Amino acid sequence: MPLPYSAPKRVLTVAPMPPEKLAYALARYSRSPDSIRHSLDWVRTHDSAKFLESFYFQYGHASIADLGHVTICFEGVSELAATEIEDEQLWDGQARSSRYQDFSKAEAILPPEFTAHEARLYATSTEALLNAYRDVQRRMQAFLEDSLPRPDDMKPDAYRRNLTARAFDVARYLLPFGIPTGVGQVTSIRTLEKQVRRLLASEFQELREIANELVQACALPPDCGLEASAAEAIAPTLARHADADERATHLRADLTEWAKDHLPAPIEESPKSVDLTQPSDPLADICATLLFPVTDRSYRELYECARSWPIARKKDLLDLATGGSKRRGELPRQFRGAPYVFDFVMDIGAYRDMHRHRRCQQLRQQYTHKLGYETPAAVAQCGAEQVFADALRHANAAIEKLPQPGAQYLLPLAARSRFLFKMDFAEVDYISRLRSGVKGHFSYRKIAWEMKQALEQQDPVLGALIEATPPWIEDPLKR
Ligand SMILES: Cc1cc2nc3c(=O)[nH]c(=O)nc-3n(C[C@H](O)[C@H](O)[C@H](O)COP(=O)(O)OP(=O)(O)OC[C@H]3O[C@@H](n4cnc5c(N)ncnc54)[C@H](O)[C@@H]3O)c2cc1C
C-alpha cells in the first residue's frame, strides 16, 4: 500500500557506491542528526581517504571499516589457495563446485616456489592424477546408468545431471589440491584488510602473490560490473596501509620450536575420524590449541599433556604466544574457545566443504599424506579399485620427493589430514543436521553423523536432540 502523501519515509535504501565512501557516509551518519541523504552529499565533497586515515588507521576505530562492503572474485587460483582465501570467520562467498564442473579440463596450478626439475615432476604427477580422475568418472557414470534406471517421473536432463554429479563426487578424491578453481566473496573492508595481511604472510608463494594483486586491485576502479568504467578506486586507503601480518609468521615459528623443546615422545595410536572433547580446563585448552597447528598430534593428547604441566610451563607458553608485556592488539584465534572441541581426521575434500561453516573456531595441521587416504566404497562397485590405488601410490611417491610447502599442492583430495573445530551446541546441531542430509557429499555425511554419535555418547539428552540422517539412508537421484 502506498504511504500517505505527507508521511516521512522511514526506510531509505542506498545505491551501491565505493566501499570506503560508503563507510565514511555511514560513520558520519552515526555521529550526526542529519538524514543519510545529507551524509551522502557530504562525502561527495569531502575526502574519505583523509577520514579513514585518521579514524580507522590512526585512532583504531576499526568498526568503521565494517560499513563498506566489496565483492571480489579470484579466478584461476588453486583449491589450496581458495581454502586459505576463505579462512575468515566474517566472510560470505562461494567457490566453484567439484560436483557440477569437470575439474580435469584445466592444468593444475604450479606452486611458484618449485625449481624446473620439481615443476616437471609435479606436472607429470598431476596429469597422472587427472587421467585417473577422468577414468574413475567415466566408470562411475556407466555403473550408475546401469544400476539406477531413470524413474518415469524424472526428466532425462535432470536424471543425467544427477548421475554426473554423483560420478564427480566419487572422482573428486583424485583431484590434486593444486587444481584451479574460482571463488566469489563479499566482505567488509575490515575483513578484507585482515585477509590481505594474513595472505601476505602466507607460507605459500601463490597466496603472497594473490595478496599483492589484491592490494593493487584495491587501489583501482572495479574491473567489471555495470558502473565499472565510471567508478572510483575500491579501497585506496586500505591499499596504502596493507602490510604482512608478521606476528602470525613469528608466532608459528616460535610455537614450532617450543613444541620441539617441550613435548614428550608422541603417543602411537590410530587416529579416530571424529574425537570430541569437552575441555574443563580453559588454560590447558588454550595451550593445546596453540600447539595443535604446529604438531601432528591429536587435540586430546595435547590437552591431557598440558593439564599435567606445572603452572610455570603453561605460563611460559602463554607468554610466548601473547608476546608477554609487549602484547598489542587482538589475541590470535587459538585463544578462542567453545564447549565442544572436535578433532577431525578427514579427507581434504570433506574439509573443503566443512571449512565453509563460519559459526565455529577452526584450526588445521599441515595437509599430509601420512594419515593415509579415504577410498569411497563406490570405487570398488564401479571396478576402479586398481586405477584408484595406482593413482594414489604414484602421487605418494612424488609427494615424498617434493619440498614443502609446495608438495601439498600434489595431495589428492582423498588425503586425510587433521582439523580442529570448536563450537557451541547449536552449531553442532546445525552442521550435523545439514551436512548429514542425503543431498550432501558422502565424505562429510559420515563425519556429520559421527558428530551426533560422539555427542550422544557424552550427553545422551542433547545428542538425542540432533536430527541427523544416517549415511546408510541414500538417494543418489536427489541433489
Ligand atoms: C549440499 C550443499 C552443497 C554446497 N555446495 C557448495 C558449493 O558448491 N560451493 C560453495 O562455496 N559452498 C557450497 N556449500 C556451502 C554453503 O554455501 C555454505 O557456505 C555452508 O553451508 C556454510 O554456510 P552456512 O550459512 O550454512 O553455515 P554457517 O557458516 O555455519 O552459518 C550458520 C548461520 O550462521 C550465520 N553466521 C555466519 N557467520 C556468522 C558469524 N560470524 N556470527 C553469527 N552468525 C553467523 C549464517 O548467516 C547462517 O545463518 C554447499 C552446502 C551444502 C549443504
Side-chain angles (χ1 to χ4, degrees), residues 86 88-100 182-184 352-360 362 427 430-431 434-441 444 479:
E86 293 172 24
E88 289 292 335
Q89 205 179 18
L90 292 173
W91 186 92
D92 294 311
Q94 295 258 308
R96 284 195 175 130
S97 170
S98 60
R99 172 172 278 181
Y100 302 112
V183 180
R352 273 292 280 133
D353 297 317
M354 295 286 279
H355 180 231
R356 298 196 177 116
H357 288 283
R358 298 148 295 172
R359 215 162 26 179
C360 49
Q362 297 187 25
E427 191 67 357
Y430 181 77
I431 294 181
L434 180 74
R435 293 296 183 171
S436 64
V438 291
K439 289 184 185 171
H441 193 289
Y444 59 69
R479 287 281 157 247

Side-chain angles (χ1 to χ4, degrees), residues 39-60:
S39 286
L40 291 171
D41 285 343
W42 174 274
V43 301
R44 274 190 202 106
T45 53
H46 289 76
D47 188 354
S48 54
K50 222 160 118 189
F51 173 80
L52 282 172
E53 291 278 2
S54 3
F55 285 90
Y56 182 52
F57 289 105
Q58 283 174 31
Y59 304 147

Side-chain angles (χ1 to χ4, degrees), residues 36 40 70 101 231 348 458 461:
I36 183 65
L40 291 171
V70 59
Q101 296 198 35
I348 296 173
Q458 296 183 16
V461 176

Side-chain angles (χ1 to χ4, degrees), residues 38 227 286:
H38 291 111
E227 310 294 330
I286 290 173

Side-chain angles (χ1 to χ4, degrees), residues 76-79 102-111 119 122-124 126-128 130 134 175-181 206 409:
V77 301
S78 66
E79 276 282 346
D102 183 349
F103 272 53
S104 69
K105 289 190 174 144
E107 271 175 33
I109 303 291
L110 175 68
Y122 176 79
T124 49
T126 50
E127 191 46 44
L130 292 178
R134 287 181 206 106
L175 287 174
F177 212 6
I179 201 74
T181 188
E206 182 194 5
Y409 282 74

Side-chain angles (χ1 to χ4, degrees), residues 20-75:
E20 286 191 3
K21 282 236 143 51
L22 183 59
Y24 184 19
L26 290 174
R28 182 189 180 274
Y29 180 62
S30 74
R31 290 154 177 78
S32 96
D34 296 345
S35 158
I36 183 65
R37 295 178 199 276
H38 291 111
S39 286
L40 291 171
D41 285 343
W42 174 274
V43 301
R44 274 190 202 106
T45 53
H46 289 76
D47 188 354
S48 54
K50 222 160 118 189
F51 173 80
L52 282 172
E53 291 278 2
S54 3
F55 285 90
Y56 182 52
F57 289 105
Q58 283 174 31
Y59 304 147
H61 290 235
S63 60
I64 289 173
D66 285 334
L67 303 173
H69 278 65
V70 59
T71 306
I72 294 178
C73 291
F74 301 85
E75 300 192 351

